[in-house]
Amino acid sequence: MAMAVLRAFWNGPVGPKTTHFWGPVANGGFVVAAMADMKKPAETISGNMTTAMCLYSGALMRFAWMVQPRNYLLLACHASNEVVQLYQLSRWVNAQG
Amino acid sequence: MAASKIQALWNHPAGPKTIHFWAPTFKWGISIANVADFAKPPEKISYPQQVAVACTGLIWSRYSTVITPKNWNLFSVNVAMAGTGIYQLSRKIRHDYFSEVEEVPAKE
């Protein structure tokens, strides 16, 4: 039963043999990078980059929803990125005062 | 005549009324932010973030040429991301590993 699900995913239209999988995985790198940077002092955060990331992930969440086929993996990656980038942005804003 | 061409662009299925236009457009913000950060001291550059920017740029550059239809806007924005990411990484690596000679006298 589990094998059938895995095989369906492996061969599916948004599976690991397609670009629809690896694009979102690459974007997951931003989430990993931001989580690694959460421990760093707030002075090292780039306000420019973090703001650009917040706008970008907002747009890409909408894009993932509207694109054919609908890409839930991309949506999940960018929803996570939006959360972690907003957190980093709040740390940066607090460090500005 | 020009007006009808502009109208055709405006109503295009990947035009400014759709997310297929704005998603790559917002992605340019990342490269623009990175170019603005060229002026920042290398101590402030984040290795994980710039590796993510460079890798995403390279992977998406490749894939934007194999999807249907090819999306040259997406291709160009990801080439720019890879370029700025690699440049920022080279700045930080050069600072961390190739300019230690200057720092030693200062510590003493």
Side-chain angles (χ1 to χ4, degrees):
Chain A
M1 240 290 269
M3 280 310 295
V5 169
L6 280 174
R7 202 173 296 129
F9 169 68
W10 181 255
N11 292 313
V14 292
K17 293 197 270 188
T18 74
T19 175
H20 302 286
F21 179 82
W22 291 106
V25 166
N27 284 168
F30 289 130
V31 183
V32 171
M35 293 202 292
D37 286 347
M38 284 202 292
K39 304 175 182 102
K40 286 201 198 149
E43 293 76 27
T44 60
I45 298 175
S46 162
N48 293 332
M49 183 61 87
T50 310
T51 306
M53 286 276 176
C54 290
L55 293 170
Y56 162 68
S57 280
L60 268 282
M61 284 196 281
R62 170 70 178 165
F63 177 81
W65 188 256
M66 294 304 294
V67 80
Q68 289 292 339
R70 186 161 280 173
N71 197 328
Y72 293 108
L73 183 60
L74 192 67
L75 178 63
C77 285
H78 282 288
S80 317
N81 200 36
E82 188 69 32
V83 168
V84 74
Q85 295 295 338
L86 283 170
Y87 172 67
Q88 287 285 75
L89 192 65
S90 71
R91 287 182 66 216
W92 178 78
V93 167
N94 286 334
Q96 295 307 300
Chain B
M1 231 192 356
S4 66
K5 270 208 155 182
I6 292 173
Q7 255 185 341
L9 279 171
W10 179 251
N11 292 314
H12 193 278
K17 291 197 273 188
T18 75
I19 190 64
H20 299 287
F21 176 84
W22 290 106
T25 303
F26 277 118
K27 206 162 190 180
W28 277 107
I30 294 177
S31 296
I32 292 167
N34 230 6
V35 169
D37 285 350
F38 283 171
K40 289 221 179 122
E43 296 87 11
K44 296 219 168 174
I45 298 173
S46 157
Y47 272 128
Q49 189 176 65
Q50 294 303 321
V51 167
V53 167
C55 288
T56 295
L58 290 169
I59 292 174
W60 280 75
S61 298
R62 154 72 178 152
Y63 285 127
S64 53
T65 63
V66 298
I67 55 173
T68 318
K70 289 187 190 182
N71 191 333
W72 295 112
N73 188 18
L74 197 63
F75 176 75
S76 55
V77 70
N78 283 290
V79 167
M81 272 183 70
T84 61
I86 290 169
Y87 179 65
Q88 288 284 61
L89 281 172
S90 75
R91 283 184 66 214
K92 191 161 174 72
I93 290 169
R94 215 178 299 142
H95 176 264
D96 287 351
Y97 296 105
F98 295 107
S99 56
E100 281 178 78
V101 181
E102 301 157 17
E103 286 179 52
V104 171
K107 282 181 195 165
E108 290 171 71

